[in-house]
Amino acid sequence: MPPKKRTRSSAKSNKRADADDNHAEGSDDVAQLKTGKRKRSAGVKSDVEKNKNDDACKTAYSYWLMKSEPESRIENGVDVKFGIEDLKALPNQTGCWDGVRNYQARNFMRDMKAGQQAFFYHSNCKEPGIAGLMKIVKEAYVDHTQFDKKDVHYDPSSKADNPKWSMVDVQFERMTKRFIPLTELKKYHLRHKAKVGPLKDMALFTRARLSVQPLTAEEFDFVLSLENEDPI
């Protein structure tokens, strides 16, 4: 694993990050820092049900959107900032995407295959949106931060002989030709809901609380095409 500067999608930080994204997002990456248990409310599917749904959809996804914070924010004495420029600055422009503490997001990372592409999405910032592209270069393996008591993502309920959390390694590919903001994506999403377009079911809006999200090929291609179009 290459050295890294907080190369991850922060669990607690993404909770704040995505909640600020024009109320279109939030994060379900809530760390099990105290009890290791997930809070469930009436009308919300259990994790088991969600995982079954994910298993049924595994073959449908080969593209991803992954959120991280590009602006400094100190949490437990650690700056959780990690933007696309930070990834670009790492040796071989490669680092691990650790700290994910949501079961569905974790399962999506476990589905990832080496060579697949992902959008690097800037969250919890003045203008959230897609900043560039990266690729998966190492498939899911044990996230060491769950065992590190000094790490903001430490999970005392996770055991070395049965670890809960995984991470992948990602490598910078390129910046998008222009930044594609959430506000623009939302406009297309609303249009496509009305006219049955490619972004009508985009997870950024239908599974908004996840910091690791799947994309269909149609969704990925449409969003990527926007870098060549004028903003709306």
Side-chain angles (χ1 to χ4, degrees), residues 45-231:
K45 290 184 178 180
S46 69
D47 289 323
V48 173
E49 291 172 323
K50 287 180 180 179
N51 292 346
K52 286 181 179 178
N53 290 339
D54 292 343
D55 290 341
C57 298
K58 279 183 180 179
T59 56
Y61 302 119
S62 55
Y63 298 94
W64 311 93
L65 181 147
M66 301 169 76
K67 302 177 186 175
S68 192
E69 298 186 44
E71 298 176 357
S72 290
R73 183 173 64 77
I74 304 301
E75 185 175 327
N76 296 339
V78 177
D79 190 348
V80 297
K81 170 185 179 293
F82 190 78
I84 195 168
E85 293 290 351
D86 296 302
L87 175 61
K88 188 177 179 181
L90 289 174
N92 298 319
Q93 299 182 323
T94 302
C96 59
W97 199 273
D98 64 19
V100 172
R101 297 295 183 266
N102 169 271
Y103 290 107
Q104 191 174 21
R106 177 206 65 184
N107 289 348
F108 282 136
M109 288 201 300
R110 289 179 176 179
D111 291 342
M112 292 176 177
K113 302 299 181 185
Q116 291 182 342
Q117 291 179 298
F119 287 124
F120 196 121
Y121 182 96
H122 281 174
S123 189
N124 195 27
C125 53
K126 293 178 181 178
E127 187 174 33
I130 293 170
L133 292 98
M134 54 190 179
K135 66 180 177 181
I136 311 305
V137 293
K138 183 175 181 179
E139 296 175 11
Y141 62 104
V142 175
D143 179 351
H144 63 275
T145 64
Q146 64 195 300
F147 306 121
D148 184 354
K149 293 182 179 180
K150 296 180 180 180
D151 195 277
V152 296
H153 306 114
Y154 171 60
D155 182 355
S157 70
S158 187
K159 307 303 178 185
D161 59 350
N162 187 26
K164 288 184 177 181
W165 308 112
S166 302
M167 61 186 181
V168 296
D169 283 0
V170 297
Q171 184 177 55
F172 172 83
E173 282 200 323
R174 68 176 179 86
M175 307 294 288
T176 46
K177 294 177 184 177
R178 69 176 179 89
F179 184 80
I180 304 172
L182 170 66
T183 51
E184 182 176 347
L185 292 170
K186 186 173 184 179
K187 289 176 182 177
Y188 280 110
H189 168 65
L190 294 174
R191 286 184 184 181
H192 291 181
K193 280 184 66 177
K195 299 182 179 180
V196 192
L199 300 193
K200 66 182 178 66
D201 295 320
M202 189 179 184
L204 188 60
F205 305 101
T206 62
R207 303 190 195 188
R209 299 178 67 83
L210 290 174
S211 68
V212 177
Q213 303 178 353
L215 295 169
T216 65
E218 184 181 30
E219 290 168 342
F220 179 87
D221 290 343
F222 181 86
V223 172
L224 191 60
S225 73
L226 296 180
E227 67 177 355
N228 297 313
E229 302 292 334
D230 293 331

